[in-house]
Structure formats: structure tokens, C-alpha cells
Amino acid sequence: MVAKISIGSSLYGALAYNAEKMNEAHGRVLGANKIVLPADGNINIGAMAENFKAFMPRMGRTKKPVLHISLNPHPDDRLTDQEFEILAREYLDKLGFGEQPFIIYKHEDIDRHHIHIVTVNVNEQGKRLDQSFLFRRSKKITTELEEKYGLHKAQREKVSPDTPITKIDPNGDIKRQVQNTVKLVGMRWQFQSIGEYNAILGLYNVRCEMTDGKVNGREYHGLVYFATDDNGNTIATPLKASRLGKFASRTAIESKFERDKEKIDIKSTKRQVSDAMAAATGKDDFIAKLKEKNIDLALRYNADGRLYGVTFVDHNNHVALNGSRLGREFSANALNLWFNDPTAKPQVQQQPRQLQGQQSQGQQSPPPGGGQQTSEQSQPNQPQQQPRQKPSHSDDFDYSPVLPGLELFQTGPDFDPAEEAFARRARKKKKKKGRGL
């Protein structure tokens, strides 16, 4: 049996979560302590919250007084409602919360039925209960209960970089599936924006949205995750990042954006996309040729049906890249024109496949300035020209080009007597000055 403990500040939020399961006919109340339960079974969240507050001081220093605990037996353990309640009460007694106000819910939204417990960790005097080694003590208690009642040993599922990522199963544990997907995508993939992040998550029927606003005058910036079907429709209650773990938070994801900017190399992906575009005849053919190269194309359209976002998801390099990062010809605007007009296909510049400076045998590269070829690049059977040398000092003259067959009659540098006399005087002054020093 696996116990998961969440410590928080929102009593209403914990009660509302369980009440929602009841409203969806996926949960019911099994029992409570010091909490008045209505005879008709219609739970009023506000009245229940007041019951809890009656046993809590109005002014307390504990910032997170709420405990939300889930007890998850092995799938092979089929327990009755009474057995679930007995386990919950004995677990709380051993943990030291048996005399606290609490309420026990049973959830049946997945095949593995389990229970949730909402309680508080402060007494009527406002003193916080002992929480030292809480998780360690909880693990010891669940092991004792497994041995006492002959239950199967259930271990928390471990996620490693090699764990396969699968699409969300609507009949499974939605929260756990979203949690694993977000964790594995963060461990395995590289991305630099929320659009690229969503392009990867969308492959597994998960969507992420940023939330910004103010509560009681304080700004908040967070993320909310949604489980979807193959058409992108939401199939379950949205999950705040705080319910999944720190790895899913906005701070963690934005930090990853910055780290991945330094790691991502687009050359390989750009070459594959360029080859696919050069050979494709249209949208469907382009998508098919990318699929052959193990690259998915995520397209985002606005309400008017215009393409406004393009992301290439490269499974070979585990990287997602918006089209504009690869080049203008791969941007949403360029692809939108092409998809609507086959004659407006972007011109693709083929990526070089050899090291810079390497040339195939027999090929010559043009001179940088587009001018005449040097003697090494001249055509066969033509006399070679002397290379034009760069002047070594300011008094040098430019050499005139040598005319083939007329070397003996070539003109030399012009001679100016006045210039020569001035140069001699300058050299003499320099020598006298040197001797004087």
C-alpha cells in the first residue's frame, strides 16, 4: 500500500477536490471524525469547512495546517468499504492523527479503488502536531498494515529516462499519467518556448497553459495542465503544476528554456526538414516525408483557419523547434502560403554535407570578390601570371601586371628625383639622431 501525503494551506481546495469526485459519481464518503455528515448524503463544502474550523484556532501561526492523504492498495487487493475505513482509521491512529477532525473518501475513478483523507495538523490550542519524520513513519505504518491484513506489497512507480511515454488513457489514473508524461518530457526532450513544449506534450494528449493574475493583491504566474483526447478536447479536470511536482512548475520550465538555448544544435534537424521540403509536392506529402524521417509536424491554426504556428518535433535528436528557428522558409507564413498555393513553394537552401573548405576533385571555387582567377586557378595551356604582392611599406609602388611574351619590355617603377632626394635627407637625419643618443 502506497501512502501519499500533501501538506497545504487550502482546506476548501482539498474538500472541493473530493466533492467533485462525488458529483461525478466517482466517489463517496466512508466516514468522519468530529465532522457532521448530513443524513441525506448531500455534502456542503462550506458547512464542512466550518466544522473543521471549529476545532482550529482563529489565529494560528501554522501556514500550512491541512493534510491531504491518499492510501493506494495494490490493484490485486479488492477491499470492501468497511475494510477501507478500518485501514484509514488505524493508519491515522498510528500516525498520531486519530483524534483530529478528519473525513474519509473513497475514489472509484480508476480501476484501482483507493481512499483520500482530509485532516488538519493543529489542535484546538493552535499547537502543531508532531510532524518529524512524517513520511518515514508513514512508510513504516503502511508496511505494518500490509503484513497485518495480508495485503500485497505495493511500491511507488519509479520513472527513469528509459521509461516509455504513452498517450493518456481516459480510463486510467489521469493525474499520475500527466505527472509521468510531464516528468519524462522534461528529462528527455529539449525545447525553448511554451509552443515547442506543447508540441511535444500534444503527442501524448497533454496540454499546458500559462496562468497569470492577481489574488488578494498579489500577482501569481503559474502553469495548468490538461489531459485531452486525440482531437485536443479536455477530458478531465485541469491540474495545477503544484499538484504534479516542482519539476512541472513555471519556474522549472522557464529555467529549462534558458538551459536548452545553449544546448540545442539545429543543423541536423534543418537538413532533414530541408530534404523533405525539397522533395515534397504539397502539405500532405511534406508531412508524410517528415514522418519517414521520424519528425512530426505540429500545426496551430487560429479561429479563422489561418496557420499561425509551426513546430518540428524531431524524435531522432529529441528536440522541438519552431519553424522560424530553422529559417524564414520554414516559418508559419511561408508554409501557409505554400499549403494554399502549390506554386508558392519556399526556396530551400540545401545544407552542406561536408566540412567547410573541402571540395570535390576537379571543382574550383570562385575568388571571394568575384574577380579574375589567380594563377593556380587559371585554365591549362595558358601562361601563368606573377601574383600581385601586397605593399610592404608606404613608399612601395604598385607592380604592373606582366604581359605574356613581353617581359623584357615591361615598364618599371616611375623615378622622381625630388622624392628620392627627400628620402635620402630623411635617412641621414635618422642616423645622426641615433648617434647623438
Side-chain angles (χ1 to χ4, degrees), residues 58-78:
R58 293 294 177 182
M59 299 294 291
R61 300 178 61 182
T62 303
K63 294 182 179 180
K64 295 184 177 182
V66 182
L67 262 67
H68 192 174
I69 306 168
S70 67
L71 296 179
N72 305 269
H74 192 278
D76 294 338
D77 293 326
R78 300 292 179 177

Side-chain angles (χ1 to χ4, degrees), residues 206-222:
V206 177
R207 185 176 77 251
C208 174
E209 292 184 5
M210 290 184 172
T211 58
D212 300 282
K214 282 187 176 183
V215 174
N216 297 327
R218 296 179 59 184
E219 290 188 3
Y220 69 87
H221 307 280

Side-chain angles (χ1 to χ4, degrees), residues 277-304:
M277 179 178 283
T281 57
K283 175 182 175 181
D284 294 337
D285 191 30
F286 183 40
I287 294 174
K289 283 180 166 50
L290 288 173
K291 279 281 188 183
E292 293 173 1
K293 298 177 181 295
N294 207 20
I295 297 175
D296 281 303
L297 179 60
L299 303 175
R300 297 183 293 281
Y301 294 88
N302 61 17
D304 298 328

Side-chain angles (χ1 to χ4, degrees), residues 341-360:
D341 181 5
T343 63
K345 183 177 179 179
Q347 295 298 317
V348 181
Q349 296 181 356
Q350 294 294 330
Q351 297 297 303
R353 298 179 182 276
Q354 56 187 2
L355 295 177
Q356 187 177 3
Q358 289 184 344
Q359 298 177 358
S360 59

Side-chain angles (χ1 to χ4, degrees), residues 318-339:
H318 286 102
V319 62
L321 293 163
N322 285 338
S324 56
R325 295 192 195 279
L326 297 182
R328 185 177 299 176
E329 62 270 31
F330 308 105
S331 66
N333 287 336
L335 293 188
N336 186 64
L337 289 174
W338 178 32
F339 292 164

